[in-house]
Amino acid sequence: MSGLKLIDILDCPTLDLTKNQRGILDVLSRNQNVRRIDVAETLGFSPQTMMRAINPLVDLGIINEVEELSGGRGKPPRLMSVRSGALLTLGITVAEGCSIVDLTDFSGRRIARNSITKPYPNAQEQLDGVRHAIADLIKNNPPAGRIVAAAVLVQGYFLEPGKRIVGRSDPLGWSRINLHGELSEFIGLPVSLVNDGRAFAASLIGSPFNRNFIGLLLGSGIGGGIICDGRILGGATGNAGELGKFFEDGPFRPTETALLAALDLPDWSLWQGVDALTNAKHQNLNEWMTQASSAISRALELCIAVVDFDTVYIGSCMPEDLLEMLADKVEVKKLGIASKDAHFEIALPSPEIVAKPIASMSLLAGRIAMKSFLEPEQFVSKTQEIPAPINAETRKEGL
């Protein structure tokens, strides 16, 4: 695929919007079916500015406007919404032994998916596989709307924030690849490269209303993000929250891969629930849960005094019953001081441990891609700050 750009096989021109038009779409990402006058007041636009921005979006088929049936006198106000399927994004996950591409619309609805699971021999072959997965997805599912941006969720840490990573599967190979540059050139559209653990944590900002928490992501590896006073911590190199470094390798490392191995399952499609397990597999599960939850507890106890969080969200694509079982076993000791005679202890409340099932990381990537299209200025900083979810429904549901 050398020299080919995805934009070359798309039957539509790129979309070049003004800042005012992006602002309007950003408002509509949080509130659909909104009166034109309310959007103008929110953004501080005059009627003339609003008209100049809206009319081209209507002509392009991006925005629908219908008259509100108010029953009052005079000309009824117009309600605006984004046309379903008009604006699309590519959400891409690059994990150890797995590459997934989702084509999603403005609301976060999946249009199509291409998933490849195989043991890649090196980083370059996985990158080539990602390119093929993207191209095949578009060829087999010609988009009716415009693809406007892409986001890639990656495992590992950044050597250059938003550009180069060190992945678990082939650390040296990935370190030599400018992943952001390679995919930006191939896709021919704005691409955001973000750490999967930090993306998971950032997606939970504002839902619920706590402002200091840790998001611990358990996939084929372990990732995380730290939210302090409502903002995600980036750090000097954008790698704050690399919680996987607290865990040793081995059969009880709290990852989906290790749990599948303990249950002797190739993937979760064959999972039938705890009650369907044989006695031997039930014992394996209990031992794994005990060891893995203990490892998580120890890691969080190392973090709590430094970060001072009140909640831990444990996210994973493992079955919800297993994730809740694991979360229930995690215990983080209170931060406090006991008296010398041990008659009393002054301690802070223990953090709440919350299981957060994840339907799809690539869908989350699609939401980040749409947010990067609407607010590109948030994605040009050194630490590649990740915004909160793009709409109220997403914020309510987390993932």
Side-chain angles (χ1 to χ4, degrees):
M1 289 198 177
S2 177
L4 175 67
K5 289 186 178 181
L6 181 66
I7 201 69
D8 295 334
I9 64 176
L10 294 175
D11 188 23
C12 64
T14 57
L15 190 62
D16 187 18
L17 300 184
T18 67
K19 184 176 181 180
N20 288 347
Q21 289 170 331
R22 292 175 191 268
I24 291 169
L25 292 172
D26 190 40
V27 173
L28 294 179
S29 73
R30 296 187 292 273
N31 303 280
Q32 288 275 30
N33 295 317
V34 186
R35 296 190 304 171
R36 178 186 285 208
I37 188 173
D38 293 333
V39 176
E41 289 179 356
T42 299
L43 297 172
F45 290 172
S46 67
Q48 294 78 11
T49 299
M50 191 70 181
M51 182 175 63
R52 285 195 299 269
I54 284 290
N55 287 351
L57 296 177
V58 174
D59 293 340
L60 289 169
I62 295 173
I63 284 183
N64 279 330
E65 281 197 300
V66 297
E67 293 183 347
E68 183 179 17
L69 300 177
S70 60
R73 295 183 177 181
K75 187 176 181 180
R78 295 177 179 178
L79 296 179
M80 298 192 307
S81 63
V82 176
R83 187 187 298 272
S84 178
L87 298 178
L88 306 172
T89 61
L90 289 170
I92 305 162
T93 56
V94 179
E96 189 173 4
C98 182
S99 303
I100 301 174
V101 183
D102 272 341
L103 181 66
T104 61
D105 71 1
F106 188 78
S107 67
R109 177 176 60 95
R110 179 185 293 137
I111 305 297
R113 160 172 283 198
N114 195 1
S115 176
I116 300 174
T117 301
K118 58 181 281 188
Y120 294 98
N122 55 62
Q124 185 60 53
E125 289 205 21
Q126 184 164 12
L127 174 58
D128 292 340
V130 170
R131 291 193 185 101
H132 280 286
I134 295 170
D136 290 344
L137 178 72
I138 300 305
K139 289 178 181 178
N140 294 327
N141 302 274
R146 289 174 169 82
I147 301 177
V148 295
V152 188
L153 299 190
V154 295
Q155 294 179 340
Y157 64 89
F158 283 111
L159 285 177
E160 294 180 71
K163 293 183 180 180
R164 287 194 301 140
I165 66 168
V166 176
R168 285 176 58 87
S169 58
D170 181 13
L172 184 60
W174 282 117
S175 71
R176 292 170 172 169
I177 296 174
N178 181 345
L179 184 56
H180 178 267
E182 293 277 355
L183 289 180
S184 294
E185 182 178 3
F186 170 68
I187 296 174
L189 295 167
V191 175
S192 300
L193 190 68
V194 294
N195 174 270
D196 56 358
R198 295 184 71 238
F200 165 64
S203 74
L204 299 171
I205 294 175
S207 175
F209 299 104
N210 52 341
R211 295 173 59 82
N212 298 278
F213 61 86
I214 280 182
L216 180 64
L217 179 64
L218 309 181
S220 58
I222 302 174
I226 299 170
I227 307 299
C228 184
D229 197 25
R231 294 181 60 84
I232 191 161
L233 295 183
T237 61
N239 289 301
E242 275 294 322
L243 303 181
K245 300 300 181 182
F246 288 109
F247 298 90
E248 296 180 356
D249 289 331
F252 301 111
R253 183 176 170 87
T255 65
E256 281 189 82
T257 304
L259 180 52
L260 284 167
L263 296 172
D264 194 26
L265 292 174
D267 54 57
W268 295 121
S269 65
L270 300 178
W271 175 249
Q272 299 178 343
V274 175
D275 292 340
L277 294 176
T278 64
N279 288 336
K281 287 189 177 181
H282 204 287
Q283 291 178 358
N284 290 344
L285 174 63
N286 286 336
E287 183 179 10
W288 189 90
M289 285 288 175
T290 298
Q291 297 286 350
S293 62
S294 178
I296 294 174
S297 300
R298 290 195 301 271
L300 294 175
E301 285 167 5
L302 292 172
C303 296
I304 190 168
V306 177
V307 182
D308 191 18
F309 51 87
D310 56 24
T311 308
V312 179
Y313 293 101
I314 302 180
S316 179
C317 295
M318 71 175 65
E320 186 172 352
D321 55 347
L322 293 179
L323 184 60
E324 290 182 349
M325 183 185 301
L326 179 62
D328 287 343
K329 289 180 174 291
V330 174
E331 296 182 1
V332 182
K333 292 180 181 178
K334 300 177 180 179
L335 185 63
I337 298 177
S339 63
K340 291 182 179 180
D341 54 9
H343 284 281
F344 66 89
E345 180 183 16
I346 300 175
L348 298 173
S350 294
E352 183 180 6
I353 312 297
V354 180
K356 200 69 177 177
I358 301 173
S360 169
M361 291 300 293
S362 48
L363 283 180
L364 173 60
R367 295 171 189 160
I368 291 173
M370 186 59 72
K371 194 65 176 178
S372 71
F373 170 70
L374 298 177
E375 299 185 53
E377 64 277 1
Q378 293 201 34
F379 287 79
V380 297
S381 64
K382 175 184 176 183
T383 55
Q384 290 278 309
E385 288 296 332
I386 307 169
I390 66 170
N391 56 46
E393 182 180 354
T394 302
R395 183 174 292 109
K396 181 179 179 181
E397 295 178 357
L399 293 178

